[in-house]
Amino acid sequence: MADVTIEARNTIKAFGQGAQAVRALDDVSIQINRGEFFTLLGPSGCGKTTLLRLIAGFEMPTSGQILLDGADITDLPPNRRPVNTVFQSYALFPHLTVAENVGFGLTMQGRPKAEVAATVAHMLALVKLEAMANRKTSQLSGGQQQRVALARALAPKPKVLLLDEPLSALDLKLRKEMQVELKRLQTETGITFVFVTHDQEEALTMSDRIGVMSAGKLQQVGSPKDIYTRPVNRFVAGFIGETNFLPATGGAGGAKLGCGAVIDGVAANGAVTLTIRPEQVRLTAAAEPGAIPATVTLLVYFGTDTHLHLALPDGASIVARVQSPATGEAGLAQGQQVGLRFAPGAVQVLED
Amino acid sequence: MSPAEDRQARLSARNGWLLSAPALVILTIAAIGPLLIVLVYSFLTPGDYGNVVWEFSWNGWKSVFVEEDIFEGTLSLADAHLTIFWRSLSLSILTTVLTFLVGFPTAWWIATKPPKARAFWLFLITLPFWTNILVRTFAINQIIRNEGVLNSLLIWAGVIDSPIQLTYTPTALLIGMVYVYLPLMVLPLFAAIDRFDMRLLEAGYDLYASRWQVLRRIILPIVKPGIIAGSILVLVPCLGAYVTPRILGGGKMMMLGNFIELQFGQGRNWPLGAALSIVLLVIVTAALLIYVRALSGEKRHG
Ligand SMILES: Nc1ncnc2c1ncn2[C@@H]1O[C@H](COP(=O)(O)OP(=O)(O)OP(=O)(O)O)[C@@H](O)[C@H]1O
Ligand SMILES: [Mg+2]
């Protein structure tokens, strides 16, 4: 059995009273393992921040429990939970220097001065800000402030570090750098990270496990590969990466598409939705037996890849991602007839 | 500096002087002029029926601090004057502390209201300014006198059996001064708290700070400029307060302002009055210097 650090049990959080009440969290249960990089992913307003604030202790659940190492901490105030937060706004203390900010938590815990100084020096080295120790936080760039916020939250060695979209204020290049940095920090410190983002690519590249949320409910929890290749429902499939949805009718021989083509090896009954990732759609010659005939309607060039928008005989459309043709090589053209094949096992049946 | 930058710097410096010229002229004529007159008067000889005789004398300044026994010609420290100085200073400091203790929670409470409600509460805070200070001070007197609202209420509630003698006591003076100067504390505090980023509170709690530590380590240092501004705004007029001590002190609780007035009136000792005014000015300037020092200390850090 996995070693669970933080756990939410049947937590419900409602804001407002009576008819106007909003369920920001609707019966969420989740277990996060020790030392893992766990990401909460979902669209805006799905309740990610609310779940994080419940774990941090800033909000009390309407019902349900929060457990840390198996002990119920639902009623503990934030300053008595060994859990620290990296705020989206950083929330650095403007009247303190970088070093004082980083040492704040330790000082409040009443650790001896020498220990605080040593830990602060270590943390600043970890986030590569030794040279900035005596600056005021207002004199730092966005990326540097981000690092201070990280160092400040990591310094007291919390059991769980909560990060609420910490990278969203950074520009793309810096964000990529910080993604690598965060991953490195997590490995080096071994602290459990609960990371919130609405950027699916960020979630896929950084996480050990991902929890996908929508409308206050946890839709699916699993490794990035699990979630990408085996989405449990239409929401997860559509939210993580790009995908094609094809209506089909299930039967004994496989699933039958609207255009009449039958896909074998798909176990389904009645009307279902199939999903297939664009990179799993293979192109063949138009006349190849067994291939589904299609017409290229649009070519979108992405550098290494090209997205082909294709029309099936019944008018349904599907996107395929293929490698862009090498320099000098002739590629496909709009209006061209091609054949389609789906990689074996790549077609998923979705419950809606 | 490039020639263009240089030209721009010179131009903005010149424009700065031009723009501030009207204010500087008024300040010079209206502030420094009278001040010089007061300074000169403090070194003259009192006239028999007030006014001054143009004859140099140290006596005005001497009698600020020492008393001459008319019969024996010995000098002793002017106890009465020092008592008045001390009373002025201690009452002013106490008033400042009390307005802060009352004003801080008030300002905090207003600053955490929704914007619309804030305007309303701030309006209520400034409402007393619309009434003449004399009227307000008499009103306080009516409330605290033996047959006044306060005593009647306390007796009715059974807290006390006989009325507390408040009128013409230091307590009465303190109540009056806190009441009169409270808005001057609340407004700068509100401005500072309004700018305070409430998210820092959560950051504080998250980093193991108790409520008290959050107040002491985060809120107070950050709103410090507001605290200093409010304190100066209360302390300075308190030191020179005249109407409130006159009415609520009933002549017994003389403060510097009243004492100075006495010298120009019944006392007929204009040089002493002038010297006392300058002492008051020095005290106020010292307070302001502490303020500026505290603020620039803040700047040095960031
Ligand atoms: N203090 C509050 N009072 C009332 N409603 C709230 C409060 N906090 C959150 N909500 C509501 O709860 C829902 C979930 O909010 P939450 O902030 O958790 O979303 P989120 O997933 O973090 O979104 P985002 O990606 O935009 O940050 C939203 O509908 C929001 O309007
Ligand atoms: Mg959020």
Side-chain angles (χ1 to χ4, degrees):
Chain A
M1 203 187 106
D3 182 10
V4 176
T5 303
I6 196 98
E7 177 176 0
R9 254 187 219 163
N10 304 103
T11 45
I12 294 178
K13 177 69 192 176
F15 290 107
Q17 298 288 321
Q20 280 142 40
V22 182
R23 278 205 176 181
L25 288 180
D26 197 356
D27 198 11
V28 169
S29 293
I30 196 167
Q31 294 190 328
I32 295 166
N33 300 332
R34 191 178 314 286
E36 89 176 326
F37 195 117
F38 191 93
T39 299
L40 285 169
L41 176 66
S44 190
C46 69
K48 308 180 295 286
T49 298
T50 306
L51 182 54
L52 228 52
R53 291 174 60 80
L54 282 174
I55 297 175
F58 298 133
E59 306 276 2
M60 292 290 140
T62 308
S63 71
Q65 291 165 308
I66 306 289
L67 293 94
L68 180 71
D69 289 339
D72 189 342
I73 57 163
T74 317
D75 295 327
L76 276 192
N79 57 347
R80 292 181 40 209
R81 296 187 186 198
V83 171
N84 287 154
T85 307
V86 177
F87 295 88
Q88 184 170 0
S89 60
Y90 310 149
L92 299 178
F93 302 125
H95 60 299
L96 300 180
T97 63
V98 167
E100 287 166 341
N101 261 284
V102 174
F104 190 87
L106 295 164
T107 311
M108 291 302 108
Q109 285 180 324
R111 305 277 181 84
K113 274 211 168 77
E115 188 197 329
V116 174
T119 313
V120 167
H122 176 222
M123 289 319 300
L124 287 178
L126 205 59
V127 296
K128 300 178 189 134
L129 279 178
E130 300 101 315
M132 309 282 171
N134 293 316
R135 289 224 200 153
K136 277 283 170 94
T137 53
S138 54
Q139 299 165 318
L140 300 180
S141 72
Q144 290 167 336
Q145 292 187 8
Q146 169 73 77
R147 284 162 204 263
V148 177
L150 259 171
R152 184 179 72 173
L154 282 173
K157 299 204 176 54
K159 291 203 169 139
V160 180
L161 186 75
L162 307 174
L163 305 102
D164 192 356
E165 308 202 29
L167 308 183
S168 62
L170 305 178
D171 61 49
L172 187 67
K173 187 166 171 294
L174 204 52
R175 193 151 79 217
K176 296 273 179 229
E177 274 175 39
M178 283 308 295
Q179 285 176 5
V180 177
E181 196 85 332
L182 267 181
K183 196 69 191 159
R184 177 181 67 86
L185 281 175
Q186 197 259 333
T187 327
E188 270 173 39
T189 57
I191 291 173
T192 311
F193 276 35
V194 183
F195 180 85
V196 160
T197 181
H198 56 242
D199 179 341
Q200 42 105 0
E201 192 188 310
E202 203 163 89
L204 288 176
T205 53
M206 300 178 71
S207 324
D208 293 324
R209 283 197 308 153
I210 299 175
V212 183
M213 291 182 70
S214 159
K217 288 202 166 77
L218 202 56
Q219 304 289 335
Q220 186 175 1
V221 178
S223 69
K225 196 174 164 209
D226 256 6
I227 299 233
Y228 187 77
T229 57
R230 273 176 234 299
V232 295
N233 59 28
R234 191 172 174 132
F235 174 82
V236 176
F239 194 74
I240 314 275
E242 287 164 67
T243 197
N244 295 295
F245 294 113
L246 297 169
T249 319
K256 191 171 169 197
L257 295 182
C259 61
V262 174
I263 300 162
D264 334 311
V266 176
N269 268 314
V272 291
T273 302
L274 303 181
T275 179
I276 178 145
R277 300 284 178 189
E279 67 272 18
Q280 306 279 21
V281 178
R282 304 276 152 80
L283 294 191
T284 62
E288 198 173 294
I292 307 164
T295 318
V296 179
T297 56
L298 188 66
L299 287 146
V300 184
Y301 182 66
F302 277 92
T304 37
D305 291 340
T306 300
H307 283 193
L308 296 174
H309 292 244
L310 304 153
L312 298 185
D314 64 327
S317 72
I318 187 167
V319 178
R321 183 150 93 197
V322 297
Q323 252 188 4
S324 297
T327 321
E329 200 176 293
L332 292 163
Q334 211 167 314
Q336 199 172 331
Q337 296 289 323
V338 293
L340 297 184
R341 258 178 205 293
F342 299 142
V347 177
Q348 295 285 314
V349 183
L350 295 179
E351 31 173 292
D352 266 310
Chain B
M1 232 195 287
S2 76
E5 274 179 316
D6 197 38
R7 189 148 29 86
Q8 194 187 29
R10 255 184 299 129
L11 208 69
S12 76
R14 202 186 67 203
N15 282 346
W17 279 109
L18 275 179
L19 286 173
S20 50
L24 288 177
V25 168
I26 293 178
L27 283 178
T28 316
I29 296 172
I32 300 185
L35 212 66
L36 281 177
I37 296 175
V38 171
L39 189 65
V40 170
Y41 270 38
S42 71
F43 290 106
L44 296 177
T45 309
D48 285 341
Y49 304 103
N51 213 335
V52 285
V53 180
W54 282 84
E55 211 171 282
F56 179 84
S57 158
W58 282 107
N59 281 341
W61 279 98
K62 257 193 226 155
S63 46
V64 169
F65 303 105
V66 292
E67 250 169 347
E68 195 170 357
D69 193 303
I70 315 170
F71 301 109
E72 295 169 21
T74 52
L75 294 180
S76 60
L77 225 53
D79 281 344
H81 299 188
L82 291 184
T83 309
I84 291 171
F85 279 129
W86 174 240
R87 182 184 297 135
S88 282
L89 202 62
S90 57
L91 266 180
S92 300
I93 291 174
L94 210 55
T95 305
T96 311
V97 171
L98 283 177
T99 48
F100 173 74
L101 290 181
V102 177
F104 187 84
T106 313
W108 185 272
W109 184 77
I110 297 175
T112 48
K113 294 256 126 194
K116 263 199 190 142
R118 266 185 239 176
F120 171 72
W121 288 107
L122 283 179
F123 165 74
L124 280 194
I125 290 283
T126 51
L127 200 60
F129 281 140
W130 297 35
T131 319
N132 184 290
I133 183 167
L134 220 55
V135 175
R136 281 189 279 151
T137 314
F138 273 117
I140 285 282
N141 213 10
Q142 287 302 306
I143 291 172
I144 62 173
R145 74 199 165 95
N146 285 8
E147 303 79 27
V149 180
L150 186 67
N151 273 315
S152 311
L153 258 178
L154 287 179
I155 290 174
W156 176 80
V159 182
I160 50 172
D161 296 327
S162 55
I164 319 169
Q165 173 65 38
L166 276 175
T167 34
Y168 312 137
T169 62
T171 315
L173 202 45
L174 206 56
I175 293 175
M177 303 251 280
V178 168
Y179 162 67
V180 168
Y181 294 112
L182 188 60
L184 296 179
M185 179 62 89
V186 172
L187 293 179
L189 278 181
F190 169 79
I193 296 171
D194 194 35
R195 264 176 291 144
F196 179 81
D197 181 358
M198 295 293 166
R199 290 175 295 195
L200 296 181
L201 300 182
E202 279 188 356
Y205 292 130
D206 190 59
L207 292 162
Y208 313 105
S210 62
R211 280 162 170 274
W212 165 246
Q213 283 169 321
V214 165
L215 179 70
R216 225 188 72 45
R217 301 300 199 99
I218 300 172
I219 300 173
L220 291 183
I222 294 179
V223 302
K224 191 165 114 194
I227 299 175
I228 295 173
S231 304
I232 292 293
L233 281 179
V234 172
L235 186 72
V236 169
C238 266
L239 283 169
Y242 168 71
V243 174
T244 316
R246 174 75 178 266
I247 295 169
L248 293 176
K252 285 196 295 180
M253 298 277 124
M254 206 181 274
M255 282 178 62
L256 254 176
N258 311 99
F259 192 50
I260 292 170
E261 188 252 4
L262 189 67
Q263 304 313 320
F264 285 97
Q266 294 156 318
R268 290 186 195 153
N269 193 347
W270 288 25
L272 174 58
L276 286 169
S277 306
I278 290 174
V279 171
L280 175 58
L281 190 75
V282 169
I283 296 177
V284 168
T285 312
L288 281 174
L289 276 182
I290 294 170
Y291 169 54
V292 171
R293 189 70 59 78
L295 265 196
S296 62
E298 192 88 335
K299 288 246 175 60
R300 220 175 304 125
H301 282 292

